[in-house]
Amino acid sequence: MNEPIISMKNVSYAYEKKIVLNAINFELPKGAFMGLVGPNGGGKTTLIKLVLGLLKPTQGTITLFNEPIEKFKERNKIGFVSQKANSFNKGFPATVFEVVSTGLTAKIGYFKFLNKSHKEKILSTIEKVGLLEYAYENVGNLSGGQQQRVFIARALVSNPELLILDEPTVGVDTNNVKRFYELLHDLHENNEITLLLVTHDTGTMTEHATDIVCLNKTLHFHGKPEDYTSLTENDLSNFYGHPVNIVSHNH
Ligand code: ADP
């Protein structure tokens, strides 16, 4: 197995006294495309916030790129696309180019001028997500799926090695979900980006992911998509805490 990019040892987290993650042992290997699934309230967003350093574990240790998280400084190695990545209002006063350029802030600082290579990098990243013709449009005029790709470009522009996406397909129509997975597939295969994707969309995700992790306070499953898809409705119902009907996604 490749070296882990994220490693969690015995990690627990509680909001006040409510334990939402309990003794998690987990590794994300370099080069993986990992799908993180589980019921609402299962702790997926909390786990991501721990990785992003927005929360500190109540117990246990987290290592990022072989560094204890407390010492980890190379934040630009991690790109993040949040759940709200497709909710710009019409009239939001920034172009696609401007929004994507803010992804370079960590590298070049606020209020610094963009040089030619920054501008080229911004445009090539916009091109990678298929939006070059909209580079100077206001983001508010784009569709939800296109706005989401703007956010992916913003996360990609600083060349992260790991891209984390929290439920990025919520509210995106079927065609754009398909394009979105094609983009992730390309980033993973051709750009060697490690991916951690929180999703409810298990059908499409299992066609692309290399690893699946199921989280409901503790880790219930960590394995390959083919092992996940062979879980029975009974296994999944126990995990989700309510009956689950498996919908086949064979094409
Ligand atoms: P998921 O992303 O899997 O839906 P979350 O990590 O958002 O799960 O939430 C896990 C649990 O933690 C839920 O029971 C949720 O209500 C609770 N929780 C999340 N954020 C907070 C918070 N800021 N304060 C208190 N409880 C929270």
Side-chain angles (χ1 to χ4, degrees), residues 69-83:
I69 193 166
E70 302 78 24
K71 294 202 174 140
F72 181 73
K73 295 273 181 303
E74 297 168 290
R75 286 273 153 206
N76 61 325
K77 282 189 171 176
I78 304 180
F80 174 58
V81 180
S82 82
Q83 279 174 21

Side-chain angles (χ1 to χ4, degrees), residues 13-16 18-21 36-49 55 83 166-167 198 200 215-217:
Y13 186 80
Y15 292 101
E16 307 287 330
K18 183 180 175 194
I19 296 172
V20 298
L21 293 175
L36 175 57
V37 301
N40 273 335
K44 302 180 293 300
T45 302
T46 304
L47 186 138
I48 302 280
K49 285 184 174 168
L55 298 173
Q83 279 174 21
D166 192 359
E167 304 221 26
V198 175
H200 279 112
L215 181 66
N216 189 6
K217 198 167 168 183

Side-chain angles (χ1 to χ4, degrees), residues 83-94:
Q83 279 174 21
K84 298 192 181 68
N86 47 6
S87 55
F88 274 113
N89 293 327
K90 286 233 175 286
F92 185 84

Side-chain angles (χ1 to χ4, degrees), residues 36-42 44 83 166-170 181 197-205 228 240 249:
L36 175 57
V37 301
N40 273 335
K44 302 180 293 300
Q83 279 174 21
D166 192 359
E167 304 221 26
T169 53
V170 170
Y181 275 101
L197 171 67
V198 175
T199 184
H200 279 112
D201 201 7
T202 49
T204 326
M205 186 265 293
Y228 178 74
Y240 279 91
H249 282 265

